[in-house]
Amino acid sequence: MPSFNSIQSRVDDMTNYYGKSLSTSNDLKSNVCTIEETTSHREADVYAKLHPEVLSRSYGCGILVPPALEGARVLDIGCGSGRDVFSLSQLVGQSGSVIGIDATQEPITFAKRMTDWHMQVFGYDRPNVEFLVGTMEDLATAGIEDNSVDVVVSNCAINLSTAKERVLKEILRVLRPGGELYFSDIFSDRRLDPSLRDDPVLVAECIGDVMYSGDFHSMMRDLGVREVRAVRSYRKIVRNEEFRRSIGRAQLESRLYRVFKLPLEDKCEDYGQAAVYLGTMDGHEQEFMLDDGHMFETGRAKLVCGNTAMMLADTRYAKHFRVFGDRSRHLGRFEDCADPNPASDDSRVPVGRSSCCG
Ligand SMILES: C[S@@+](CC[C@H](N)C(=O)[O-])C[C@H]1O[C@@H](n2cnc3c(N)ncnc32)[C@H](O)[C@@H]1O
């Protein structure tokens, strides 16, 4: 575990970069902390209600518009100037709440200043967002209690920490049982040269200390999460010659993951269960995509393994599904199931099968 001093020194480098060197995304030296995927109609509608200045100050690498959030308590780790917080504010509605936490004072001050404008646009009579200065390695000091959050999101921020395992442990601590970490970040297909971590600009540009995706899976297993699900991913071609050279032949990807706080199993096991999506999530009337291997068409029954059944029945998705069967009778391994815990980088599992059962 990195020492307090090394964590703090990294935080100082990052706050210096995000507070002093950058004013808008035009100041970035590469395209890595930018969104390069196309938005769905629903996502575009959410972004259309955001202040242009908020959009111009975002440095995320993915689109965070998770489904079924009405009334939820959401926490955004490394929220920056609040693009995702204000997006999520629309999704949780007046009865929900969103907390954004970031180590850098400047974007938090800016986001606070933009709050009234957004609340007015969303038609809320009181703010459902709160912005805090604090570090992702220590959410307790920021006052985030155990089992108090329904959904944690993060957009291209966890890679910046020098204590990623500690951050993920903190996230699991604050999530309620059945809660979900829904996050986008940059991953590499191999471990990068550790000396790259000493270059604060390369790190701040979401390159120098990104995780090898295999190590992320192992880290989650060490923390008791037996399976994580990739929702989507896209390749990042680093558009900065010097940065590209520094990572050699490594390939970077922006990935969106779902991690549930659930007692999942190591393997996909068959209990004869099936699930039917009711078509009741806003913006997902025809289908619901749990991950890149599980698309549920409305009204169409699908056989599911025990882990998938749990993700649908013991989470906020429960009211949107009918899950048939329980775990009283085990029928062996789930048939035709890819290994949810591949030994090597899971990006090599064929598309559509990076998670467990299909
Ligand atoms: C790449 S930016 C992404 C910002 C925001 N999520 C977005 O999409 O615009 C990373 C953010 O993480 C913050 N950050 C870096 N290290 C942090 C830490 N240890 N704790 C909390 N925030 C941190 C930075 O201040 C910066 O705002």
Side-chain angles (χ1 to χ4, degrees):
M1 196 64 94
S3 67
F4 173 80
N5 284 349
S6 71
I7 294 174
Q8 191 53 48
S9 136
R10 171 66 67 79
V11 169
D12 292 344
D13 285 342
M14 296 305 108
T15 54
N16 197 36
Y17 198 70
Y18 283 97
K20 308 275 185 282
S21 304
L22 302 184
S23 296
T24 73
S25 51
N26 291 333
D27 301 325
L28 286 165
K29 294 183 166 46
S30 76
N31 57 316
V32 180
C33 340
T34 64
I35 294 178
E36 296 176 299
E37 55 183 337
T38 43
T39 49
S40 66
H41 288 306
R42 179 163 185 264
E43 292 158 351
D45 286 348
V46 169
Y47 285 174
K49 294 205 180 102
L50 302 183
H51 195 287
E53 251 194 277
V54 167
L55 291 170
S56 75
R57 293 179 190 225
S58 41
Y59 312 113
C61 52
I63 297 166
L64 295 184
V65 181
L69 279 190
E70 186 69 33
R73 185 170 196 240
V74 182
L75 173 67
D76 182 359
I77 308 261
C79 65
S81 300
R83 190 225 4 233
D84 293 316
V85 172
F86 292 125
S87 299
L88 296 158
S89 162
Q90 301 173 55
L91 304 174
V92 300
Q94 182 73 86
S95 63
S97 60
V98 189
I99 304 167
I101 184 164
D102 199 285
T104 310
Q105 180 67 61
E106 288 83 346
I108 291 292
T109 304
F110 169 79
K112 283 183 174 170
R113 192 153 49 77
M114 301 309 289
T115 297
D116 284 350
W117 187 91
H118 285 95
M119 296 305 110
Q120 218 169 350
V121 170
F122 305 158
Y124 296 159
D125 50 26
R126 65 198 143 73
N128 67 351
V129 299
E130 186 185 358
F131 290 97
L132 304 172
V133 175
T135 67
M136 54 179 131
E137 292 84 359
D138 181 11
L139 299 173
T141 296
I144 315 291
E145 291 172 358
D146 296 3
N147 305 314
S148 63
V149 175
D150 298 302
V151 178
V152 172
V153 302
S154 185
N155 204 340
C156 227
I158 296 174
N159 78 84
L160 303 179
S161 174
T162 194
K164 296 176 179 60
E165 187 164 349
R166 182 167 164 163
V167 172
L168 293 165
K169 196 171 171 188
E170 269 295 81
I171 291 170
L172 291 170
R173 177 184 70 76
V174 304
L175 275 176
R176 293 197 170 109
E180 180 182 356
L181 164 63
Y182 185 91
F183 84 110
S184 249
D185 216 330
I186 302 295
F187 289 88
S188 170
D189 69 342
R190 64 199 70 186
R191 296 182 185 123
L192 300 181
D193 178 347
S195 70
L196 300 184
R197 296 177 202 155
D198 299 332
D199 179 338
V201 174
L202 199 62
V203 171
E205 290 271 336
C206 301
I207 298 171
D209 197 10
V210 299
M211 260 191 285
Y212 160 51
S213 46
D215 285 344
F216 167 62
H217 285 247
S218 308
M219 203 179 271
M220 292 315 302
R221 275 199 297 282
D222 289 348
L223 291 171
V225 177
R226 306 272 177 78
E227 197 194 344
V228 301
R229 296 282 174 99
V231 181
R232 56 182 186 236
S233 58
Y234 65 94
R235 176 101 182 267
K236 279 280 178 188
I237 312 283
V238 181
R239 287 203 291 273
N240 174 310
E241 189 53 38
E242 190 191 330
F243 291 173
R244 196 167 55 239
R245 245 184 290 117
S246 71
I247 61 169
R249 289 188 47 80
Q251 290 183 10
L252 303 186
E253 266 192 0
S254 168
R255 288 191 177 193
L256 174 62
Y257 277 110
R258 289 182 194 275
V259 176
F260 291 96
K261 183 169 169 178
L262 287 171
L264 300 173
E265 298 186 277
D266 282 335
K267 304 281 180 202
C268 288
E269 302 293 348
D270 191 352
Y271 297 94
Q273 292 171 288
V276 179
Y277 174 46
L278 304 176
T280 43
M281 293 186 217
D282 264 1
H284 301 267
E285 287 74 16
Q286 305 301 323
E287 60 198 17
F288 168 71
M289 189 179 169
L290 177 66
D291 56 60
D292 63 3
H294 292 86
M295 177 68 86
F296 292 90
E297 204 180 315
T298 298
R300 184 171 188 164
K302 193 176 173 86
L303 295 176
V304 290
C305 72
N307 280 356
T308 299
M310 203 183 276
M311 290 174 195
L312 301 177
D314 297 345
T315 62
R316 71 184 193 284
Y317 300 116
K319 62 175 182 266
H320 302 286
F321 276 86
R322 280 193 71 191
V323 176
F324 298 90
D326 56 31
R327 288 180 173 236
S328 55
R329 199 163 61 109
H330 182 228
L331 304 173
R333 283 291 297 280
F334 193 86
E335 203 179 296
D336 190 27
C337 189
D339 186 349
N341 290 316
S344 62
D345 174 25
D346 56 345
S347 65
R348 288 166 209 283
V349 177
V351 173
R353 301 301 307 277
S354 70
S355 55
C356 75
C357 37

